[in-house]
Amino acid sequence: MRLQLTAKEVKHSTLINHNAKLWCAENWEYLTKTNTPLINVNSSSKIEKGKKLNIATAILYLQPADLVATETLCAGADLFGCKEGCLISSGQLGMLQGKNASTKRTVLYLLERDRFMRVLGAEIEMHSANHGDTLAVRLNGTSDIDFNAFIQSKPHIQFYDYTKIYYRMKSNKLANYDLTFSGSANGDKVLKITARAIKNGFRTVLAMNTAESKGEYKMPSKLDLIPLVNMDETDVRFKDASNAVGVLKRKGSNKVERARDELQDGFFFNQSNFNKLAELVSN
């Protein structure tokens, strides 16, 4: 897909921020002349691990929060403290080609929403024709947008996402949409929200402040009496139990950053606030 708006229309848009407009001007030919797919199948190493479960995952990567948008695409980003550690800055997504592709998609999503959704739907149907019932689609790879109306229009497709919006977990009634709550340790308020999700039986994932490198602690195997699932094995969350609680290693960080975050609260769970969560869950 490529942008069809004029440079003047982009310049005067209130939907993208100043830095995004500068990027558009500098990458105008790429934005308007080059056709690029919106969603790809098995586009990362973790997604590819789903192949062993006979699942082909298509995932949409946008620029999160307010990196491009004037109104955040991740409503829980500030409260949950996940902006700095967002996976958009790591791996292939953090490389220039990946950043440009996700920025372009986000500009297209914001400025040509109806056309974006039509093209996205056509691409998903193409992947469905190629992969049949093995296809699973994750629209919020690096965002937290309410795509419910779109998902409801495609009942023959399995969708899944992670979300930091607790209400979305409670209100989701779509049979073809599986959600996992993304917990956080960014202060007492979100610790309580995370504990509530676990106690109410919503599948929850906890990103731990360790890469298990030399000198670092191993990821925990239990939360009080709750066995923890290793959610680094695959990204196919809808195959987990609906009330499963899992852990992920921290990605895209170094030992200095992880040592710092052992001494303070943030999105990633350190040993101290993990113990606080265990107390909240057990009470």
Side-chain angles (χ1 to χ4, degrees):
M1 183 176 174
R2 56 193 181 189
L3 188 72
Q4 293 185 343
L5 296 181
T6 66
K8 183 177 180 180
E9 288 172 316
V10 172
K11 181 179 179 180
H12 291 288
S13 172
T14 60
L15 299 176
I16 61 174
N17 60 38
H18 176 68
N19 288 337
K21 291 177 182 180
L22 291 178
W23 180 90
C24 289
E26 293 170 358
N27 296 273
W28 191 251
E29 185 169 351
Y30 171 63
L31 191 59
T32 60
K33 304 296 184 184
T34 306
N35 265 318
T36 53
L38 298 179
I39 194 165
N40 293 303
V41 173
N42 297 334
S43 56
S44 72
S45 58
K46 185 179 177 184
I47 297 299
E48 284 189 349
K49 291 179 182 179
K51 289 180 179 179
K52 63 187 178 185
L53 299 178
N54 196 31
I55 298 294
T57 302
I59 188 163
L60 174 66
Y61 289 115
L62 301 177
Q63 285 286 3
D66 54 5
L67 289 185
V68 167
T70 52
E71 293 187 13
T72 184
L73 300 183
C74 305
D78 288 320
L79 178 62
F80 279 69
C82 56
K83 278 186 182 180
E84 182 182 350
C86 183
L87 61 80
I88 196 70
S89 61
S90 65
Q92 293 182 17
L93 292 177
M95 298 178 184
L96 181 59
Q97 183 178 358
K99 288 180 178 178
N100 283 339
S102 58
T103 300
K104 178 177 178 177
R105 292 187 199 104
T106 311
V107 169
L108 292 167
Y109 170 77
L110 292 166
L111 301 189
E112 297 189 6
R113 180 75 54 83
D114 290 344
R115 179 167 164 260
F116 180 98
M117 299 309 297
R118 288 197 301 272
V119 173
L120 178 65
E123 290 188 16
I124 289 173
E125 293 296 345
M126 177 191 69
H127 291 312
S128 177
N130 290 335
H131 297 281
D133 291 341
T134 67
L135 179 69
V137 178
R138 183 178 162 197
L139 295 177
N140 282 307
T142 42
S143 54
D144 206 344
I145 299 167
D146 184 351
F147 285 111
N148 278 34
F150 178 82
I151 292 169
Q152 189 172 18
S153 73
K154 297 189 177 297
H156 56 296
I157 305 289
Q158 172 68 59
F159 292 87
Y160 76 103
D161 272 320
Y162 300 85
T163 184
K164 294 176 180 66
I165 302 173
Y166 183 75
Y167 173 76
R168 195 171 290 162
M169 298 292 302
K170 289 180 61 178
S171 62
N172 179 39
K173 305 298 182 185
L174 297 178
N176 64 326
Y177 192 29
D178 182 273
L179 283 172
T180 298
F181 186 73
S182 179
S184 171
N186 193 42
D188 290 342
K189 182 175 181 178
V190 290
L191 270 179
K192 289 177 181 177
I193 296 172
T194 302
R196 187 191 314 155
I198 294 170
K199 293 174 77 170
N200 285 342
F202 295 122
R203 189 188 310 111
T204 302
V205 61
L206 313 173
M208 301 299 301
N209 184 44
T210 180
E212 293 189 335
S213 60
K214 186 176 181 179
E216 294 188 330
Y217 59 89
K218 299 292 184 182
M219 288 198 297
S221 60
K222 287 186 177 182
L223 178 68
D224 192 31
L225 299 178
I226 302 172
L228 294 173
V229 177
N230 182 350
M231 291 187 174
D232 275 318
E233 288 298 316
T234 76
D235 195 57
V236 186
R237 295 282 71 80
F238 57 91
K239 292 291 188 180
D240 295 330
S242 61
N243 63 345
V245 182
V247 287
L248 298 171
K249 294 179 186 177
R250 183 170 178 177
K251 314 296 192 301
S253 63
N254 57 50
K255 293 190 75 169
V256 173
E257 292 169 331
R258 295 193 295 274
R260 175 201 67 195
D261 289 343
E262 275 301 297
L263 305 176
Q264 62 187 21
D265 289 339
F267 173 68
F268 297 97
F269 281 83
N270 58 38
Q271 294 174 92
S272 175
N273 49 43
F274 180 79
N275 289 335
K276 290 181 182 178
L277 177 66
E279 290 179 13
L280 289 170
V281 170
S282 63
N283 290 335

